[in-house]
Structures are given as structure tokens and as C-alpha cells.
């Protein structure tokens, strides 16, 4: 495969501030497990409180960046992937640049002068995670940066694009620029439902980019929320996956495939009017560290095989492998080399 820069991601680069907390902390800040939200005024003191009360780890994060890094790790060929997003000119931003370069990802960050690098508080209770993102600089991304010749060159070079739904809150015009390029040039464009709040409050922006999507990822909660806001009156994940796959497309070059994960339950794949179920690798409860990054890692593993034109079964198997590795570690981190056969 012609591999340099074959896979490109764009999203919100965030520094994860991760800690095992207690139920009292969740209640105090009105946080639900297995959810992802944007920080409001009431959440702002929690970052300090976490750092002072709990054992905190700082890990480079952000959904799309996680997926791209995992794909890069699975592929083991430096520079196979590229990533664009906005960071601040600060210590956290420098840390992020260093981390990503070490991971082998070709990052082209837009550096905002005024806002600090975005952070995401990861609250872990009993292995389950809840995410509260304070986007800061990540929210300042402008499509002018994407249009710069040196950055648009990454778009021209890539054959596969992945942008999680979270970026809809930041720069929908950047997403559409890439979507239109992908459709016009017969390339593969992919997204993620990302979080219930994206499906609920950014429905119009999501509906506008959906016709361009060749793959749609998500989990069972997001799929059910998507169904509810579109008035489909079904909670059946297989039915919902099928309906998303049959949503009209901007270009007829590729069919749409929907891939929905369900935690320990089988992965649902809908294509060509049919649904297939793929079992995941079950993990004994005592080996679970935290679920932070599990969905992102699944996508990263999946993409690592997709860009090699492997069949869907292999893509799902690699996704399950990567997710299984990540949930046995803190945050979206991985050992030096994968042992995926």
C-alpha cells in the first residue's frame, strides 16, 4: 500500500486529566458515568479539585486524536497518519506535540495565541468513565488553517478521512471542505456519533455532513439517541444501524457502513441492507482499568486494517483487539508494539 499520510484525522486535541474518583464527586458536579459532555460554569472548579484530591494522570487525548494514534500504533510505519486541530501556546500544547510526534503521527496543529490548550476531565468509577471537556483552544480552529497549502497538501495526499462528531461543535465548515473533497475524489470519509449531546443539540450540523459519510461509528447509547431525535421510535440497535446505513448519500461511489459497539455485547455492522454481529473479546472484570478511549481505540484498530483494504471482519477484529488493550490501561495508552495477528 502507498502508505505515507494515507489516513487523516481532524478534531479537538485535548489533554486528558484522568483520575479514579468517587460517587460523591460525581454527584457534586452532576456527572453521569459512560457519558461525554462539554464543561459548563459549574464544572470549572472540578479540574483543580481533581488535581488536589486524587491521583491524577495527564494523557494526550481528544477522540479523533486517540483513534489516529491507535491506528498509527497498529500500523507501525511512521507518518502513515496525519492529524489537524488547535492547541494553545503553552506547556500542555508542547507536551501534546511531543507525544504525537513520538507516536509517529504527522501533526499540524494550529496554535492559538489567546486560549490555553483544551483539557478533558476523565472521572473513573468502577472502571467506567465520564468525560467533561473544556475545549478552550480546541474550540478556536478555523478553516483558514486547513486551506493553507501545506495543510491542504495533507488532504490531497490522504485517501481516508476520520473526523469524530465532536468537531461539529467547532468547525463544521472545515468538515464540509474535506467531505466535498472526498466525494469528488472517490475517497473514504468517516465519522462517529460521538456523544448523545452531539446527536441532540447538533442534529442539523450532523444531518448536513451525514450524506458524505461512508462509515458511521458509534455506541449503543448514541445510536438510540440518534434514533430518538429523528423520531424513529425504535431502541433496537440493529434496526437503527440499518437505518443510518440507508440514509441518502452525496456520492454513489461507496455504500455506507454503520458500525455500532455495545460494550461487552457484540459489535453491530450494517451494510447492503443486512446486519452482522461480531463478538468482542471478553475481559475479566478484575483486568479492567478504565473504559476511557475504548471506543476511540476500536475505531483506530478498525481503520488500521481498512486502509490496508482488509475485509470488514478483519477491521472489526482489529478494533476489538485495540479496545481490549486500551481498557487494561489508564486512558488511551498502549504498549510499545501491538501483537495483533
Amino acid at each position: 500500500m502507498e502508505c505515507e499520510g494515507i489516513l487523516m484525522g481532524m478534531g479537538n486535541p485535548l489533554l486528558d486529566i484522568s483520575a479514579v474518583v468517587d460517587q460523591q464527586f460525581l454527584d457534586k458536579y452532576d456527572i453521569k458515568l459512560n457519558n461525554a459532555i462539554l464543561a459548563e460554569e459549574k464544572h470549572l472548579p472540578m479540574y483543580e479539585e481533581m488535581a488536589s484530591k486524587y491521583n491524577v494522570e495527564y494523557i494526550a487525548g481528544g477522540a479523533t486524536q486517540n483513534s489516529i494514534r491507535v491506528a498509527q500504533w497498529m500500523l507501525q510505519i511512521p507518518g502513515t497518519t496525519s492529524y489537524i486541530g488547535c492547541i494553545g501556546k503553552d506547556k500542555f500544547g508542547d507536551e501534546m506535540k511531543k507525544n504525537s510526534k513520538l507516536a509517529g503521527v504527522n501533526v499540524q496543529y494550529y496554535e492559538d495565541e489567546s486560549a490555553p490548550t483544551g483539557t478533558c476531565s476523565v472521572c473513573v468509577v468502577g472502571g467506567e468513565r465520564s468525560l467533561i471537556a473544556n475545549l478552550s483552544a480546541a474550540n478556536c480552529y478555523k478553516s483558514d488553517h486547513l486551506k493553507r497549502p501545506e495543510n491542504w497538501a495533507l488532504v490531497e495526499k490522504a485517501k481516508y478521512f476520520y473526523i469524530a462528531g465532536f468537531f461539529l461543535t467547532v468547525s463544521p465548515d472545515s468538515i464540509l471542505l474535506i467531505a466535498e473533497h472526498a466525494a469528488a475524489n472517490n475517497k473514504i470519509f468517516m465519522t462517529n456519533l460521538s456523544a448523545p449531546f452531539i446527536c441532540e443539540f447538533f442534529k442539523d450540523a450532523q444531518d448536513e455532513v451525514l450524506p458524505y459519510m461512508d462509515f458511521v461509528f458509534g455506541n449503543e447509547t448514541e445510536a438510540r439517541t440518534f434514533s430518538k431525535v429523528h423520531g424513529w421510535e425504535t431502541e433496537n440497535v440493529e434496526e437503527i444501524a440499518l437505518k443510518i446505513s440507508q440514509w441518502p448519500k452525496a456520492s454513489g461511489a461507496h455504500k455506507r457502513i454503520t458500525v455500532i459497539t455495545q460494550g461487552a455485547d457484540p459489535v453491530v455492522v450494517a451494510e447492503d441492507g443486512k446486519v452482522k454481529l461480531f463478538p468482542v473479546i471478553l475481559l475479566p472484570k478484575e483486568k479492567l482499568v478504565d473504559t476511557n478511549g475504548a471506543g476511540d481505540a476500536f475505531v483506530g484498530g478498525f481503520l488500521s486494517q481498512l486502509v490496508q483494504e482488509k475485509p470488514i471482519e478483519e477491521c472489526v477484529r482489529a478494533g476489538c483487539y485495540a479496545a481490549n488493550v486500551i481498557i487494561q490501561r489508564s486512558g488511551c495508552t498502549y504498549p510499545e508494539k501491538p501483537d495483533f495477528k
Side-chain angles (χ1 to χ4, degrees), residues 9 15 28 33 40 46 57 63 165 180 228 264 275 298 304 316:
L15 191 76
K28 178 176 176 181
L33 283 176
E40 297 168 37
M46 70 183 284
E57 285 183 274
E180 284 158 3
K228 192 172 106 192
V275 170
F298 174 85
S304 74
V316 172

Side-chain angles (χ1 to χ4, degrees), residues 5 19 132 136 148 182 249 256 295 341:
I132 303 92
S136 296
R148 285 183 201 162
K249 283 203 89 236
R256 182 180 301 108
K341 304 288 183 291

Side-chain angles (χ1 to χ4, degrees), residues 53-221:
K53 255 172 92 167
Y54 303 102
N55 185 11
V56 168
E57 285 183 274
Y58 295 91
I59 305 160
T64 301
Q65 184 162 248
N66 284 342
S67 296
I68 295 295
R69 284 176 47 175
V70 169
Q72 178 62 56
W73 170 68
M74 291 281 286
L75 288 160
Q76 289 287 305
I77 306 160
T80 314
T81 61
S82 63
Y83 175 81
I84 281 181
C86 184
I87 58 175
K89 285 198 161 178
D90 52 22
K91 187 174 89 235
F92 285 168
D94 292 342
E95 194 64 28
M96 195 97 78
K97 272 190 288 197
K98 195 176 78 187
N99 272 344
S100 303
K101 292 212 165 84
L102 278 174
V105 180
N106 176 10
V107 291
Q108 295 298 329
Y109 293 124
Y110 170 55
E111 293 183 40
D112 188 79
E113 300 282 347
S114 55
T117 296
T119 50
C120 180
S121 128
V122 181
C123 301
V124 179
V125 174
E128 293 290 324
R129 60 87 179 128
S130 190
L131 308 175
I132 303 92
N134 186 9
L135 297 182
S136 296
N139 205 26
C140 302
Y141 190 81
K142 304 282 182 289
S143 57
D144 298 350
H145 177 261
L146 179 64
K147 291 174 189 163
R148 285 183 201 162
E150 68 273 24
N151 297 327
W152 192 254
L154 298 177
V155 178
E156 297 279 359
K157 188 175 274 185
K159 294 191 174 74
Y160 296 82
F161 302 95
Y162 176 67
I163 304 176
F166 290 121
F167 205 58
L168 288 166
T169 76
V170 173
S171 187
D173 56 327
S174 297
I175 301 177
L176 280 169
L177 280 173
I178 292 183
E180 284 158 3
H181 167 86
N185 294 278
N186 212 351
K187 296 177 175 184
I188 303 278
F189 195 23
M190 304 167 278
T191 193
N192 202 308
L193 299 177
S194 288
F197 86 87
I198 297 287
C199 304
E200 284 182 275
F201 305 116
F202 294 87
K203 175 182 177 286
D204 294 349
Q206 196 174 45
D207 288 355
E208 192 179 358
V209 298
L210 211 58
Y212 294 96
M213 297 302 170
D214 301 307
F215 283 81
V216 175
F217 297 92
N219 69 24
E220 74 280 37
T221 318

